Amino acid sequence: MSIKNTLTIWFGKFMVKALHLLGRDAGNAPGLILWEMNKDCLKAFKVDCPIIAVTGTNGKTSVTNYLNHIFESTGKKIITNKQGNNLDTGITSLLLQNCDMKGRVKADYLVLEIDESHVPVIFSKMKLETLVLLNFFRDQLDRNGEVETLILKVKKFLETFEGNVVLNADDPNVSRLGLANPKNKNIFYFSVEKYAGATEKPYEVGEGKFCPRCGEELKYDYYQYSHVGKFRCPKCGFGDVKPYVTAKNVKLDVPSIEFEGEEYKISHNSIYYVYNLSAVYAAASLYNFDKKVLHETFEKFEVNNGRLEKFNVDGSSLLVNLAKNPVGANMTLRVMNEHKGEKELLFVLNDNLADGHDVSWIWDINFSVFNDVTRVVTSGTRAYDIAIRIKCSGYDPDKIVVKPELDDAMAEFFKNKGDKYAIANYTAIQPTRAAIKRYKAKVKEGRENG
Ligand SMILES: [Zn+2]
């Protein structure tokens, strides 16, 4: 190891140690400082085990957690960024916490969630074995720029990549990347058969309606959600791929799906979640996992952490989901609307740096369908913006309550018992979860005292 690399690792380890001694979580900081000092700092680590990375606009954290659970279930030692520190600096911090003084990282596998734009940077310095690509939607435009720029970045990386690439066949933005390197024989597509909620016309605003190969307008047989569905280019045939894995017989009322003729019970009734599981199944299949582990995982494992997280609060059932873009929000609304009976919605919207200060994306959320939604509570730094957005969709303004402070919002939201749904954007999700837990504790305390 060169002197520069040795010093990089020593200094990094020292920072992690110092932060721990101060009782602080290492977080992103050591990685950030290391990158300031040495742009090649990732090269100082010695990673000999296979690396599996998950990227895409929505679902990275969930899919990474699922894969981690599956790999760990078989007794393997995994290093993963479960909490989603998915930039180059976050990965550097993660490795610092898991390496010895020589920079050696000891594990059976690294299972990493990686931000789309950071895939090329990170894996030009570390050897990647498998890349899982979920979808590309408009997201946090302030930071990422247009989605096309992002796709081209990943495409450039894939042009010389020869490892496994697991791709969503039903998202043209992703599927096109299977053509990036004609020499790579390790391209594996996953797909989901038409489900009962699929539509002939797009339900939401989407991208990717033109053939990336010849520019012709793509013809869709159906849309599963957003621009994800069964498409084909009438001119050049783009879209004709043979999936490695197809989820069949999607029954969201059970809920269950079928892979290779076997039925799997699953724990959430959303098509968006079925796509995540199909990606997990495809990636796990490359590593020959016992089907028993997959059954157990699909039926019981919960990511929580604000990803389709279920709560029981004072006699009400609540489903909380993170949404940092219109597609994510639409997905939760769709799950809510498909649920029969009356329900209430909480929407928490912040505009902090990590969210992007521009909240105009809320105008691309489809609020036109609101089945039996009896009340909406809005909260967060932009509580009024989201309330106006919902009002403009034609929803009765008398049924909207604005409570910018989260604790006030919870007291209001749980005033009535029943079925409830909550959507929170990026920096709002953890405070929202914390406020729910505080409210639960308060109710419990009230009961014990009286
Ligand atoms: Zn074409």
Side-chain angles (χ1 to χ4, degrees):
M1 198 154 79
S2 72
I3 289 179
K4 190 177 179 190
N5 284 348
T6 308
L7 289 176
T8 298
I9 295 292
W10 283 10
F11 183 67
K13 292 292 281 180
F14 168 77
M15 277 191 287
V16 171
K17 193 95 191 157
L19 283 165
H20 284 167
L21 285 175
L22 291 169
R24 300 243 321 263
D25 194 17
N28 234 6
L32 207 66
I33 296 168
L34 232 54
W35 270 83
E36 277 303 313
M37 290 166 48
N38 177 1
K39 294 283 174 232
D40 272 332
C41 59
L42 272 176
K43 285 187 176 163
F45 296 97
K46 282 191 71 185
V47 182
D48 293 327
C49 67
I51 304 177
I52 296 136
V54 181
T55 194
T57 313
N58 289 341
K60 291 187 284 285
T61 304
S62 294
V63 170
T64 304
N65 275 266
Y66 269 85
L67 285 173
N68 176 52
H69 179 81
I70 289 169
F71 278 74
E72 262 181 1
S73 300
T74 56
K76 302 278 186 235
K77 173 159 169 35
I78 308 300
I79 294 173
T80 185
N81 53 342
K82 252 188 221 176
Q83 304 300 338
N85 280 334
N86 63 16
L87 308 180
D88 42 21
T89 50
I91 300 304
T92 308
S93 284
L94 179 79
L95 296 179
L96 271 178
Q97 290 167 66
N98 288 284
C99 73
D100 63 14
M101 292 307 275
K102 290 186 170 161
R104 285 182 302 216
V105 179
K106 286 261 179 284
D108 293 311
Y109 294 95
L110 258 59
V111 180
L112 304 175
E113 160 184 350
I114 305 285
D115 182 89
E116 305 89 279
S117 63
H118 285 246
V119 168
V121 189
I122 294 171
F123 298 114
S124 63
K125 300 182 169 74
M126 293 200 303
K127 191 176 180 293
L128 178 65
E129 182 167 278
T130 299
L131 180 67
V132 181
L133 254 154
L134 302 172
N135 47 54
F136 279 113
F137 302 115
R138 271 176 59 193
D139 178 46
Q140 298 174 318
L141 297 190
D142 291 347
R143 182 166 60 86
N144 281 333
E146 286 301 321
V147 67
E148 183 64 21
T149 315
L150 210 55
I151 298 169
L152 291 178
K153 262 191 191 175
V154 179
K155 179 173 171 271
K156 188 144 197 303
F157 168 75
L158 288 177
E159 280 167 4
T160 53
F161 181 63
E162 293 188 352
N164 300 323
V165 188
V166 177
L167 299 172
N168 185 348
D170 303 344
D171 179 348
N173 287 344
V174 172
S175 175
R176 62 190 275 197
L177 296 174
L179 309 167
N181 180 4
K183 275 193 239 149
N184 189 353
K185 299 286 172 251
N186 307 305
I187 308 289
F188 303 92
Y189 292 97
F190 63 91
S191 174
V192 178
E193 220 177 47
K194 186 180 182 182
Y195 91 113
T199 52
E200 254 174 60
K201 294 236 153 61
Y203 175 84
E204 299 125 344
V205 186
E207 285 87 28
K209 294 181 206 83
F210 293 92
C211 176
R213 202 152 62 182
C214 73
E216 185 76 11
E217 194 177 344
L218 294 175
K219 291 268 175 282
Y220 272 78
D221 287 349
Y222 55 85
Y223 294 84
Q224 304 272 50
Y225 75 94
S226 189
H227 63 248
V228 173
K230 181 73 192 150
F231 61 87
R232 191 177 182 279
C233 171
K235 205 164 143 194
C236 75
F238 168 72
D240 286 334
V241 295
K242 200 174 167 305
Y244 170 62
V245 156
T246 304
K248 294 184 175 170
N249 260 319
V250 180
K251 293 181 197 155
L252 292 187
D253 48 339
V254 178
S256 70
I257 44 176
E258 206 181 283
F259 289 117
E260 301 180 272
E262 228 174 281
E263 189 188 65
Y264 287 78
K265 292 270 178 351
I266 60 177
S267 55
H268 291 280
N269 55 355
S270 141
I271 186 69
Y272 162 57
Y273 173 79
V274 169
Y275 270 91
N276 285 348
L277 290 190
S278 304
V280 171
Y281 188 93
S285 297
L286 292 176
Y287 294 89
N288 294 315
F289 275 97
D290 188 344
K291 298 283 185 283
K292 235 176 74 189
V293 175
L294 299 181
H295 277 288
E296 186 269 334
T297 305
F298 289 0
E299 193 174 344
K300 302 206 182 98
F301 179 68
E302 293 285 348
V303 175
N304 292 328
N305 202 20
R307 271 74 177 180
L308 291 171
E309 187 170 0
K310 294 167 188 167
F311 289 92
N312 280 307
V313 185
D314 196 19
S316 292
S317 74
L318 167 66
L319 185 78
V320 179
N321 202 17
L322 160 77
K324 32 183 188 138
N325 46 46
V327 176
N330 283 334
M331 233 26 258
T332 314
L333 292 176
R334 208 148 150 174
V335 173
M336 179 184 80
N337 284 321
E338 283 169 357
H339 176 89
K340 304 256 182 307
E342 294 187 343
K343 57 270 207 180
E344 296 188 338
L345 172 69
L346 167 71
F347 203 121
V348 190
L349 182 67
N350 280 352
D351 64 349
N352 297 320
L353 181 66
D355 302 307
H357 296 311
D358 178 1
V359 294
S360 62
W361 62 273
I362 60 175
W363 293 89
D364 287 337
I365 303 174
N366 187 350
F367 285 107
S368 67
V369 189
F370 247 11
N371 293 336
D372 295 324
V373 178
T374 50
R375 210 164 60 112
V376 175
V377 178
T378 68
S379 189
T381 56
R382 301 296 283 265
Y384 286 95
D385 294 73
I386 189 67
I388 289 167
R389 168 68 191 96
I390 294 170
K391 175 177 173 262
C392 287
S393 70
Y395 189 71
D396 181 356
D398 291 340
K399 294 182 182 171
I400 304 175
V401 187
V402 182
K403 295 281 179 191
E405 290 300 326
L406 266 171
D407 288 322
D408 299 344
M410 291 306 159
E412 183 67 35
F413 190 46
F414 292 111
K415 214 162 66 182
N416 314 323
K417 291 190 198 323
D419 290 326
K420 295 175 193 285
Y421 292 82
I423 296 174
N425 73 329
Y426 197 62
T427 68
I429 191 76
Q430 297 313 333
T432 299
R433 296 176 71 235
I436 293 166
K437 288 174 183 168
R438 274 200 302 278
Y439 183 82
K440 270 186 84 153
K442 219 172 105 189
V443 170
K444 195 169 164 233
E445 200 181 306
R447 224 181 264 133
E448 278 163 4
N449 293 339

